[in-house]
Amino acid sequence: MLSDMKRFLQIQGAGMLLLTLFCYGIGLGILAPMNSIYLSESIGLSKGQIVSIFSISLLLNMVTTLGIGTISDKLKSKKRLAMTAAALCMIGLQVYMRADNYVGALIGMCIAVAPSGLIMGQLFAMSRNHFQRVASDIVEMAQIWLRAGHSVGFFAGLLIGANLYLLADFRGVLWGNTAGYAMLFGLLLFYREYKGETVKAEARNGEAFSLLMLFALLMLACADAIRGLYLPLVVKDLFGKPELMSYIWSIQAVFELLFMTVAGYWAAKYGSKRIILLGGFGAFITYAVYASSAALPVFFLIQPVYSFFVSILYGVAMGYVQRMFMSRTGFGASLYVFISLTASLIGYMFPLFIEGYNPLIFVIPLTLVAGSLLLIGYVLVVDRKQEAGISG
C-alpha cells in the first residue's frame, strides 16, 4: 500500500489532480450542511418549498450530467467541460446569495447546481484516462485516493464553513463556496489533460453489467441523500445550533482516507460487491441509531461507522460502475454521478410524508438500506451458483 501510494504521488499530474479535487471538496463542504438551513432561516421558505428547489435543480443537473456524459467521450477536451461548469456555478451562486424569495432562490440554485454534476464526472473521467495511460496497474487505487482527497477536502470545508457562519453568517458561507469553484477553475487552467483517444483497458479488468446492482447502489445513495438534506435540519431542531452539523460531519474526515484505502484493497481481493454489502451493514446500523436516539453524543459516536459506509459508496462503488463501461470513461463516470443525483431527487421526496424534522425520518433510509442489502445478497448468490456451474 505504501509503495503504491508513493508511486501515485510521483506520477506527473497526479498531484495537480489531487489538489484540484481537494479544493473542490472544500468549496462543497463549506455550503453542504448550511444550504437547507439558509433557505429556511434567511429566506424563510417552507419545507415543501425547500424540497422543490432542491428537486428542480437536481432534475436539471441529472439531465445535464447524463446528456453531456453520453457525448463527452467524443469530445477532445473534458477539462473545458469542467471549467465551463465551474464558471456557471459561480454565476449561479451570485444570484443565489442575492435571493430574497422563492423564485430568486430557485433561479440561483438551478444555475449553480445544474452544471455541477459535469465537474465530478469529467474530473474522474480525465483521471482514469490519465492513470490508465501512465500507471494502469494502480488505476483503481488512484481513483480511490483522488476520491478520498475530495472527501478530506469536503470535511475540511465543513469546519471552514462552520467558522465562516459564526464570523460572517450565511453570506460568508456562500462566498466560501464560490471560492471553492474559483480554486477549481484556476487549478484546471494549469492541468495538462491527456487528449488522445480514450484508453481501452483490458476486458478482464471490467465488471459485468448488472441492472440489479445499479438499482441497489441507487437505494444506498438514496438513503445517503436523505441523511444529507435532513440530518442538518434534525440536528438544528433537536439542539438549536446549525453549526453542530459541520462538526458532526467533520469527524468522518479522520477516518475517510484510511477507510477508502483499506476498502479499495479489500475490493481488489474479495470483490467490489462483497465490500459494498459490508458497507451497507454499517449504514443500516447508523440509521437504526439515528432513528432511535436523540442524544447529541450518540450522533458524534456513530459517525465512524457511517464513514466506513460512505468510503465504500463513494470509492469502491464509483470504480465498480466505471468498470462496467471500461472503454467509455466519460459515460461511466457520468452514470455514477447520475445515479447519485437520481438518488438525491428521490430521497428528498420521501420525508415529506413525515411531519416536521424528527428522527423518525431515518426509518426511511433504514428501509432502503435493508432492501439494498437483500438485492446485493441475491446477486452474490446468483454469481456463486454461476461460478459453481462453470467450474463443475
Side-chain angles (χ1 to χ4, degrees), residues 277-342:
L277 181 70
L278 181 62
F281 281 110
F284 186 87
I285 293 169
T286 302
Y287 290 125
V289 170
Y290 283 160
S292 60
S293 175
L296 182 59
V298 174
F299 280 80
F300 278 95
L301 290 172
I302 199 62
Q303 284 307 108
V305 178
Y306 197 79
S307 178
F308 180 69
F309 162 66
V310 169
S311 298
I312 293 171
L313 181 64
Y314 292 158
V316 174
M318 181 188 70
Y320 174 74
V321 173
Q322 283 184 302
R323 290 195 302 278
M324 288 185 185
F325 307 92
M326 291 296 283
S327 62
R328 300 182 64 195
T329 56
F331 178 74
S334 295
L335 178 62
Y336 176 79
V337 176
F338 178 80
I339 289 171
S340 299
L341 295 174
T342 303

Side-chain angles (χ1 to χ4, degrees), residues 8 31 48 68 70 121 125 150 168 172 192 196 212 234 246 262 293 307 309 313 319 340 348 386:
F8 164 77
L31 181 60
I68 300 298
T70 302
H150 178 270
R192 182 175 295 179
L212 285 179
V234 170
S246 292
V262 171
S293 175
S307 178
F309 162 66
L313 181 64
S340 299
Y348 294 160
Q386 289 177 345

Side-chain angles (χ1 to χ4, degrees), residues 115-133:
S116 63
L118 286 176
I119 297 175
M120 183 70 79
Q122 298 311 309
L123 285 179
F124 278 99
M126 282 192 299
S127 68
R128 182 168 285 275
N129 281 346
H130 187 105
F131 286 101
Q132 191 65 51
R133 183 171 66 94

Side-chain angles (χ1 to χ4, degrees), residues 144-187:
I144 284 177
W145 286 324
L146 289 174
R147 187 61 182 81
H150 178 270
S151 294
V152 173
F154 180 83
F155 292 112
L158 292 175
L159 291 175
I160 295 171
N163 288 286
L164 283 174
Y165 172 75
L166 295 174
L167 292 172
D169 204 17
F170 288 111
R171 185 165 293 274
V173 172
L174 291 168
W175 274 112
N177 188 219
T178 304
Y181 283 113
M183 287 189 293
L184 169 70
F185 187 92
L187 286 167

Side-chain angles (χ1 to χ4, degrees), residues 79-99:
K79 183 175 85 168
R80 290 177 185 173
L81 282 175
M83 291 175 66
T84 301
L88 288 172
C89 289
M90 286 189 281
I91 294 171
L93 283 169
Q94 295 305 303
V95 176
Y96 186 56
M97 72 173 62
R98 288 167 174 77

